[in-house]
Amino acid sequence: MTQTTMSLILDRRIDEPGNIARLRLRAADGASLPAFTAGAHLDIRVQDGATDLWRQYSICSDPSETGFYEIGVLRDPESRGGSETLHRIAIEGARFDIEGPRNLFPLAEDAPQSILFGGGIGVTPMIAMARRLQALGRDFHLHYCTRSASVTAFGDEIAASGFTARVIHHHDDQPATKLDIAAALPPAASGAHVYVCGPQGFMDWVIASAEAAGYPNDRIHREYFSAEVDATGDSFEVVAERSGITVTVGPQDTIAKALARAGIKVTVKCEEGVCGTCVTDVLDGEIDHRDRFLTDEEREDGDQICACCSRACGARLVLDI
């Protein structure tokens, strides 16, 4: 999917339960937008005063729709400021710089069965996936997990979707609706694919359950929208091979920041190792992976690093930059 930079207008805002704003973005001239596939996200520039951040939000609208994109934004007081600012400045008519769409969480459209797990705001890519699977006539179920019915967003959207019978709601405050993960997962031999997005603990639990049930890694699909990451550690050197510059990454530093001080720019957006924007090729050295973006296979190859959070296991890394 080609990544495009554009300026879009906020055409509609709907405040959903659970401090979630559903935002509809259009081209100012009404032109068609670049097509996207289920699971794709947008990078949105959040600017207000001293705040200038890039944040990623999954597209929850129908992939067949080219007139607008819709995203859901959780107002999270524990975030690093992006969601709070976006909720404040997301006024109908406001203009936003957008990069994308990008899809790092693609749907295997030919799977015999798809099981979707959305925790809270993590349901947004699942709604787009459910729309696509419904259009294809595929077998799927969406398990939508929230704290309570009163904070469950997108109710009207799901009710009018045509796939509401395939959605199973689970609420923390209603024990009778508790998610039985073992029952929700078809036998691994069925060839089913599992998709999960939501809070880190929820995702880790679903992934571990699928692995324990015998699902291979290539049929467990995940997208972290945030992660608790410890980017600190012992000092080490980074050699920027093509630039001919060596920098020291201190205990409280990151590779990207150390390189930036030396005049070498590595584009960073999420700062948590979940979006993949800062992935850089490694020519030599052992990597201490701290990210949630690279697959186990990519980590084993040892030739890529998320420069926003990962570190060196030894005294030196050589990067192809």
Side-chain angles (χ1 to χ4, degrees), residues 126-188:
M126 305 305 171
I127 292 174
M129 288 182 176
R131 291 183 188 280
R132 178 59 177 165
L133 291 167
Q134 179 79 357
L136 293 171
R138 297 294 187 185
D139 185 11
F140 73 95
H141 285 95
L142 167 56
H143 294 270
Y144 184 9
C145 304
T146 58
R147 295 193 309 276
S148 70
S150 65
V151 295
T152 298
F154 308 106
D156 292 343
E157 194 80 0
I158 291 172
S161 66
F163 58 77
T164 184
R166 295 181 177 271
V167 180
I168 303 97
H169 289 275
H170 307 278
H171 306 305
D172 292 345
D173 64 350
Q174 296 179 23
T177 70
K178 181 180 179 180
L179 173 59
D180 182 344
I181 190 70
L185 290 170

Side-chain angles (χ1 to χ4, degrees), residues 21-40:
R22 178 151 52 103
L23 308 180
R24 176 173 290 188
L25 299 157
R26 292 183 181 271
D29 61 0
S32 294
L33 299 176
F36 71 96
T37 52

